[in-house]
Structure formats: structure tokens, C-alpha cells
Amino acid sequence: MATHRPLYVAIATMTLTMASAAMAADYPSRPITLVVPFAAGGPTDVVARSLGAELGKELKQPIVVENRTGAGGTVAAAHVANAQPDGYTYLIHHNGMATAPALYSSLKYDPLKSFEYVGEVVDVPMTLLARKDFPPNNMAEFIEYAKANADKINLANAGPGAVSQLCGSLLQQALGLKFTTIPYQGTGPAMTALLGSQVDVLCDQTTQTIPHIQAGNVKFYGVTTKDRISKLPDAPTLNEQGLKDFDVKVWHGIYAPKGTPAQDVAVFNNALKTALNSPAFKQKMADLGAEIVSEERQTPESLQNWVQSEINKWTPVLKAEGINVN
Ligand code: ASP
């Protein structure tokens, strides 16, 4: 009997290899859910839906975008971390993946242990906006006005862990002032509130703000990146308007629940690379001031390293600020 064992093992291994090859060839055989941590219509959602359309063409299955809002993106991340690792649930998230651990003491996932990484997607600058009827017309006037009226200023955001909150915190820190913050389920609804003059100020990604800036629906004080951006070349940065070293950029990555089969992640990653290269997605992102990441960054390893380095960067900054949600 014992002499036949290697043969059994060889046959069993071959059968398994053939079975997993067949499974990989079949994948995906039904629609895939892409979870977005913020409200529909907002800037992360815009990236997810534009990307989802291209991924769907590539994978030959619909990508169903599901908005799971709450707690600055942590509700969606926890949902995906605990979803079936069967290759049919993915998460698109931003900087919040790396800032949440410093803000929430009872996170139900670990950004470094609960996911399979798929790859990075786009980098998006942010912009500082105010309602159209807010008195200051530019950054210099805003700084002067804020110093005299800080207690009257309402700053909208998408909750602790959101980039709008990070940007708003850094703004208040740089000015040495405290505003009243009003959280929404995403900056889609926050923008609606700004357009309706229910809040005064919002810091948000260009993937939502550019059309409103171009249409003159809002007052626009500057971009949050260290350097000016090519889509809005005449717009000064906050850095060059006195907020020294102000530099906030939003990055997006795609994740799957830990344990998702490696071959499924590889199929999804290939589709991601093709989608990021598609003329329609490229054009849409260029129109909205977003920059598609380089090929080296479209990999699981790059996203994993990036999340780790962003956790290292932001944890001390956020801890020092003393914001702790629960
Ligand atoms: N801009 C968002 C944030 O502040 C979220 C969103 O895309 O709605 O994190």
C-alpha cells in the first residue's frame, strides 16, 4: 500500500490543480459587489462607479456598487473584512484605511491583517470650498474672517476617518482655531448642504468639486496638495497662501476579505490594470483632476506597503490631536 502512496498524492495534487484551474477559469461567474464606504453621488462613489463600469466589461460580470455608510468609512471596512472570502466582495477605500486605527479604539478589523490587497487606483487632490454666499472671497479673506468668527463657522465633513475630516482638522490646526464640525454620511450630502447654504465650509476631493468650481456654485479658496494641479493651474495651493507645508492628497485602494483565493485576486487585479488603462476611465479621471497611479502602484504589494507607511505617518499626528471616537 505504502509504495503506492506517491502515486495517490500525485493524482490528488493533479486533480486539485486542475480543479483550481477550472475554478479560476470560471471566475467570476456571477455579479461582484464593490463596497463604497460613503454616500452615493460623492467623490469616492464617482471613482467606484466609473471604475466599476470598466471592471465589469473586463470581468464580463456586472459590478454592483453598494454604499455602506457610517463612522467615517469604518462600517464598510468592517463589513468587507467579515464578508465571505469568495471573490465576490471587494472594498474601495481611501486614506481612512490608514487613519482609522488612530481614531477608533474599537475597530472591528485590522487594516494590516483583515484584507487581501488588490492594488491602488487613483490619487485625488482636495479643494477648500465655501458656500457661495459666505462673506470671504479668497483664502486671505477667509483667514481674517475665521480669526474673528471661528465660533460661527460650520465645517462639514464625512465623519472621523474621512479625508474631509482629516483636511478640516489640519486646517483648524494650521490656523490655531476651532470650528463647529457637522458630519454627514459622505461628502455627497455634505456638498448638497453646502450648495443649500446649510453649512459654511467643506474640504473635498476634486472628483466631486471640479464641476461645482467650474460652474461657480461655490467659493473656492485653494487646493490642498503641496503643488498646484494641472486641472486647475490658476488655483493657488493652501501652502502658498500661508498654510505652510499643507499637503493632503487622497489615495484609493481596493481590498478583498482575508482568505479570498489568490487566483481570484489575481484575476481582479488584472482587470483593474486594464480598467485603469481604459480611455473612458482615463478621460473621466483627467476631467475630475484625479491621477491614475503608475503601473508599479497597481499591485497588491504596493498597496500593502503604502497602507503601512500611511499608518506610520498619521498615527502619531492624529493621536497628538486627541480625537478618539470609541
Ligand atoms: N470625501 C469623502 C471623505 O471625506 C467621502 C466621500 O467620498 O463621500 O472621506
Side-chain angles (χ1 to χ4, degrees):
M1 262 315 256
T3 51
H4 292 119
R5 242 181 125 198
L7 185 64
Y8 290 146
V9 173
I11 292 172
T13 313
M14 229 169 77
T15 315
L16 264 175
T17 314
M18 280 161 62
S20 51
M23 270 161 66
D26 282 353
Y27 174 80
S29 59
R30 56 186 167 87
I32 290 177
T33 300
L34 180 60
V35 176
V36 174
F38 300 102
T44 306
D45 185 69
V46 164
V47 172
R49 286 175 198 272
S50 316
L51 184 67
E54 298 306 318
L55 284 169
K57 282 183 211 159
E58 202 42 41
L59 293 166
K60 304 199 172 38
Q61 286 292 338
I63 303 297
V64 180
V65 171
E66 190 177 294
N67 301 85
R68 279 194 176 253
T69 64
T74 60
V75 167
H79 169 78
V80 173
N82 293 299
Q84 280 289 16
D86 58 4
Y88 290 90
T89 305
Y90 289 85
L91 169 73
I92 183 165
H93 204 352
H94 62 21
N95 313 44
M97 186 58 101
T99 56
L103 300 170
Y104 292 82
S105 41
S106 62
L107 271 193
K108 293 190 177 60
Y109 59 91
D110 180 337
L112 296 171
K113 294 196 182 123
S114 307
F115 301 98
E116 303 294 343
Y117 300 89
V118 180
E120 297 185 68
V121 181
V122 283
D123 288 335
V124 191
M126 299 187 86
T127 46
L128 183 63
L129 312 175
R131 61 181 159 86
K132 205 177 169 180
D133 50 359
F134 196 51
N137 290 308
N138 53 46
M139 192 62 191
E141 288 182 23
F142 173 66
I143 294 174
E144 213 184 296
Y145 181 90
K147 283 185 177 153
N149 300 284
D151 56 337
K152 293 194 201 78
I153 295 177
N154 289 327
L155 175 69
N157 68 31
V163 280
S164 46
Q165 186 261 338
L166 178 67
C167 179
S169 289
L170 296 173
L171 173 71
Q172 292 172 81
Q173 223 175 66
L175 298 176
L177 300 170
K178 270 273 164 248
F179 306 140
T180 304
T181 50
I182 311 211
Y184 291 82
Q185 298 294 304
T187 45
M191 177 61 84
T192 307
L194 191 77
L195 296 173
S197 293
Q198 288 142 24
V199 291
D200 301 318
V201 184
L202 171 67
C203 185
D204 201 17
Q205 290 112 291
T206 56
T207 36
Q208 164 159 264
T209 63
I210 279 190
H212 294 296
I213 291 170
Q214 287 173 338
N217 297 336
V218 288
K219 282 192 176 162
F220 172 37
Y221 298 152
V223 295
T224 65
T225 43
K226 193 111 197 272
D227 299 311
R228 290 190 181 204
I229 60 171
S230 54
K231 185 68 196 166
L232 301 167
D234 299 330
T237 63
L238 299 186
N239 180 46
E240 69 188 84
Q241 298 184 93
L243 271 56
K244 219 175 148 321
D245 296 330
F246 202 99
D247 188 16
V248 183
K249 192 188 259 186
V250 180
W251 47 271
H252 292 287
I254 297 199
Y255 308 80
K258 190 81 190 170
T260 301
Q263 61 265 40
D264 295 356
V265 173
V267 168
F268 201 89
N269 175 264
N270 264 329
L272 174 67
K273 287 178 173 156
T274 309
L276 294 180
N277 238 326
S278 81
F281 187 72
K282 278 183 165 167
Q283 188 61 53
K284 176 92 181 173
M285 292 302 107
D287 290 347
L288 296 176
E291 204 180 306
I292 293 169
V293 299
S294 63
E295 228 178 286
E296 307 83 72
R297 289 179 56 196
Q298 297 167 11
T299 62
E301 299 72 33
S302 174
L303 177 59
Q304 181 170 14
N305 292 338
W306 183 245
V307 171
Q308 177 72 76
S309 72
E310 284 284 284
I311 290 177
N312 295 347
K313 174 178 172 183
W314 289 109
T315 302
V317 177
L318 295 166
K319 287 234 164 148
E321 230 185 303
I323 305 172
N324 193 277
V325 189
N326 52 40

